[in-house]
Amino acid sequence: MDGASSGSDELNELASLGGTWLGLSSAVPERHTAAVVADRFDRMTWRDTYAQSAALRELARDLDARHDHATDLLTDVFLAAYKAGPRLREPAEMDPSRLVDHQVVTALVESPGFTELRRETVGDPYAAAMAVLAQAAALRGLLERTRQAREQTGRAGQGQRDAEAAASAVAEALRQAAEEAGRDGTVPAPAADAVRQAVRTAEAASAAARQAAQDAARALGTAAPAVRAGARNAAAKAAEAVRQESALLRAWGVGPGELERLPFDQRARLAERLRTGRFAEWAELIGRFRQMARGERARKVENATGELVGVTLGDDLSRVIPSELAGLGVPELRAVFAVRYAAGELMLYDSQGEQATGRGAIIACVDTSHSMYEAGPGGITREAWAKGCALALLDQAREAGRDFVGILFSAPGRIQVFRFPAVRSAGTDRVLDFAETFLGGGTSYQTPLSAAGELLAEEFGDTARRRGDIVMITDDDCGVTEEWMRGWNEAKRRLGFRVFGVVVGAPRVGEAGSVLEALCDNLRTVEDLTDVHAAADLFRVI
């Protein structure tokens, strides 16, 4: 009886000794390596974006070579920008080795710049990826400045894993002791010693883990001000970069719907094309042009009266003078009004300047001779102004359901024609090709205008597409032959098109008696190349 009692007491003693560790080994919580809560669709979006973006992969390789698990941080930053309502895990849910990441992402999400950034990035994987790349330098700096804290949290994470492993070792030693115990509960000495050794190891590991956690907490506290400042800087820079790219795309008329249809690599190439060379320099001017043209379209009225110059006879009720309308108030005169209306003899205000809008193609003839390279106010070239005006005319045509043709011209015989039918998408690459092309050389009016007249003649058979408009944008004057001029005037009379002239940066070209004045029905001169409103009336009458 005493022997059985002694054996049982020994087993109970070992169980009591390892009981604390049994609880720890069976209740190890899940430790997350991601600060942003994400579902499988979010993670799939990140993986797809990462696979498509060579720049993201290069950044991840570079950071991973210097810092542990840096890609996890990039994932969190991406998801924080992409998700509509990003939710961060509590620090206690995180693997200690990722607490610096949690600190960085928390600081980012709480910064004012990140709120602004998310206006452009939510739901847009490409924009979210661009936000990550825009923060690359700041993230590198944060990783360097938090190196010590990351090392401390890494040790805390390792200490926690060691403590959990030691607790599991205690449980395993107890299980083995119970299996080897005799029927009277006596535990063989080696098994009992193994339990006691596992407990001592677990106690040491737990103490080390607590110390590592305290060191990590102090390191995180020390790093917090630098993390907050770095996160604010990163978010502000990213917001500015993404905003600039969005503004650049909008300035060139690339709408959100078109962007969503573009594969990632094509969108990246498009953005890079717009950011480099002349396109980036022109973006603000072109954006202002398009905005101004939209405003003029909103104000435009069909058959606008223009400048009043007198009184004439006709049947346009929108221009009847008040004294004629007064007659309608007298029953005896209403029949007289009806007779005069039927005969087209009502007294009307006469006007000139603005005419009814056309229905045929809008053709922009854009001078690309050497002189168009000259810079005006603000360093803006005549070419940039002319191309901005032409692109706004393209918008005008699209809004009205009219074809648009861009004819780039220079010396005699040198033209390049870009056709944009109303029934098809303009295509961003095609628009950029039109804007980017520059021929150089001298100037010829006859070559582009003859081509424009021929294009309008092609569609003359379609009554609904008559009354086309030609816009001549140039900074130079040149002569035309009498024979050509006679043919030109005959074509205008027969086809019913109008010719508008825009003189860019060279007032003498549009002076009274100039060739361009003789060619155009409506002529304006732009002296200040920064003033897009100088051409505003053009968009009211086309």
Side-chain angles (χ1 to χ4, degrees):
M1 186 72 177
D2 290 341
S5 175
S6 175
S8 177
D9 289 344
E10 183 179 19
L11 188 58
N12 288 336
E13 175 194 350
L14 293 174
S16 176
L17 184 64
T20 301
W21 311 106
L22 282 176
L24 291 176
S25 66
S26 61
V28 176
E30 181 182 4
R31 301 295 182 183
H32 296 279
T33 58
V36 179
V37 177
D39 58 30
R40 64 188 182 92
F41 298 107
D42 297 327
R43 292 190 291 272
M44 185 184 305
T45 299
W46 161 251
R47 287 194 298 269
D48 289 346
T49 306
Y50 184 83
Q52 294 176 61
S53 173
L56 271 182
R57 296 194 301 274
E58 183 179 351
L59 175 61
R61 284 194 297 269
D62 180 49
L63 294 181
D64 280 333
R66 295 172 172 81
H67 309 279
D68 294 337
H69 49 76
T71 300
D72 288 344
L73 176 59
L74 298 184
T75 306
D76 277 330
V77 174
F78 172 87
L79 292 175
Y82 171 75
K83 286 175 63 65
R87 181 173 69 84
L88 302 187
R89 290 189 168 87
E90 294 298 322
E93 300 178 74
M94 298 295 296
D95 185 299
S97 64
R98 305 302 200 276
L99 285 174
V100 175
D101 291 356
H102 187 280
Q103 191 179 54
V104 169
V105 177
T106 300
L108 278 174
V109 171
E110 292 176 351
S111 65
F114 206 76
T115 301
E116 183 180 350
L117 170 67
R118 282 171 39 76
R119 295 193 185 103
E120 303 286 351
T121 60
V122 169
D124 187 338
Y126 174 86
M130 293 307 299
V132 174
L133 294 171
Q135 296 174 86
L139 291 174
R140 282 192 185 92
L142 279 171
L143 288 171
E144 288 297 332
R145 287 192 292 275
T146 59
R147 183 180 291 276
Q148 183 177 358
R150 294 175 74 84
E151 290 174 353
Q152 291 286 7
T153 56
R155 283 194 284 270
Q158 186 59 53
Q160 186 178 73
R161 288 189 291 275
D162 290 344
E164 291 166 356
S168 297
V170 171
E172 177 60 25
L174 281 172
R175 186 190 64 77
Q176 189 67 31
E179 285 185 358
E180 295 182 14
R183 297 182 63 181
D184 60 355
T186 300
V187 179
D193 290 342
V195 171
R196 295 186 180 93
Q197 180 58 45
V199 169
R200 288 193 292 271
T201 300
E203 288 174 342
S206 179
R210 286 194 300 271
Q211 184 61 51
Q214 292 171 5
D215 293 342
R218 282 193 293 271
L220 287 169
T222 301
V227 168
R228 285 193 294 270
R232 284 196 300 270
N233 180 51
K237 287 185 176 179
E240 178 63 21
V242 174
R243 183 171 57 250
Q244 285 181 358
E245 180 163 306
S246 297
L248 187 63
L249 291 167
R250 284 193 294 268
W252 282 95
V254 184
E258 183 177 356
L259 288 178
E260 289 175 4
R261 293 190 295 271
L262 284 178
F264 188 97
D265 55 345
Q266 289 185 26
R267 186 169 172 182
R269 285 197 298 272
L270 171 61
E272 181 63 23
R273 186 179 182 187
L274 292 178
R275 279 195 298 267
T276 57
R278 294 179 295 164
F279 289 159
E281 298 172 3
W282 298 355
E284 182 183 358
L285 178 70
I286 290 172
R288 286 165 50 205
F289 244 119
R290 284 183 144 140
Q291 184 177 13
M292 178 272 293
R294 281 195 296 270
E296 294 303 321
R297 281 196 293 275
R299 295 172 51 195
K300 185 168 72 170
V301 178
E302 285 286 327
N303 301 313
T305 57
E307 180 185 1
L308 298 178
V309 294
V311 176
T312 187
L313 299 179
D315 59 0
D316 186 348
L317 296 177
S318 68
R319 295 191 287 136
V320 174
I321 66 174
S323 61
E324 289 277 27
L325 292 174
L328 290 173
V330 181
E332 293 80 3
L333 297 179
R334 289 175 184 167
V336 175
F337 183 94
V339 170
R340 294 180 65 189
Y341 172 67
E345 295 179 351
L346 293 174
M347 296 177 66
L348 313 175
Y349 284 121
D350 195 10
S351 65
Q352 69 178 17
E354 295 187 357
Q355 308 170 49
T357 57
R359 285 292 178 267
I362 296 176
I363 302 178
C365 298
V366 182
D367 189 347
T368 60
S369 61
H370 283 314
S371 59
M372 293 293 284
Y373 261 142
E374 292 185 16
I380 297 174
T381 64
R382 296 173 180 179
E383 180 201 9
W385 202 98
K387 295 285 181 63
C389 183
L391 291 176
L393 288 169
L394 169 59
D395 290 349
Q396 191 91 345
R398 309 299 294 181
E399 286 291 324
R402 301 171 65 182
D403 290 351
F404 176 82
V405 181
I407 299 179
L408 305 178
F409 70 93
S410 59
R414 294 198 66 189
I415 63 171
Q416 190 161 344
V417 179
F418 293 81
R419 304 189 69 159
F420 299 92
V423 295
R424 293 203 302 267
S425 169
T428 303
D429 286 338
R430 182 72 171 159
V431 172
L432 295 181
D433 288 341
F434 167 63
E436 194 172 35
T437 301
F438 191 88
L439 302 178
T443 304
S444 167
Y445 288 172
Q446 291 184 195
T447 299
L449 289 176
S450 294
E454 290 169 4
L455 286 167
L456 291 176
E458 289 177 10
E459 63 178 28
F460 184 68
D462 185 346
T463 303
R465 287 152 58 90
R466 294 178 185 175
R467 296 187 5 243
D469 292 314
I470 298 173
V471 183
M472 186 76 167
I473 309 173
T474 183
D475 72 337
D476 201 359
D477 56 355
C478 66
V480 295
T481 67
E482 290 185 11
E483 181 182 359
W484 182 89
M485 193 68 178
R486 283 194 295 271
W488 175 251
N489 288 332
E490 170 58 24
K492 281 185 64 179
R493 183 196 63 76
R494 179 169 52 86
L495 301 178
F497 60 79
R498 300 176 298 176
V499 182
F500 298 84
V502 181
V503 178
V504 182
R508 61 177 177 76
V509 176
E511 291 176 350
S514 68
V515 174
L516 192 61
E517 185 196 38
L519 289 170
C520 297
D521 305 302
N522 187 310
L523 181 63
R524 63 206 24 80
T525 299
V526 177
E527 297 184 53
D528 184 352
L529 301 187
T530 63
D531 182 14
V532 298
H533 293 279
D537 61 323
L538 179 67
F539 296 90
R540 286 200 298 273
V541 295
I542 289 184

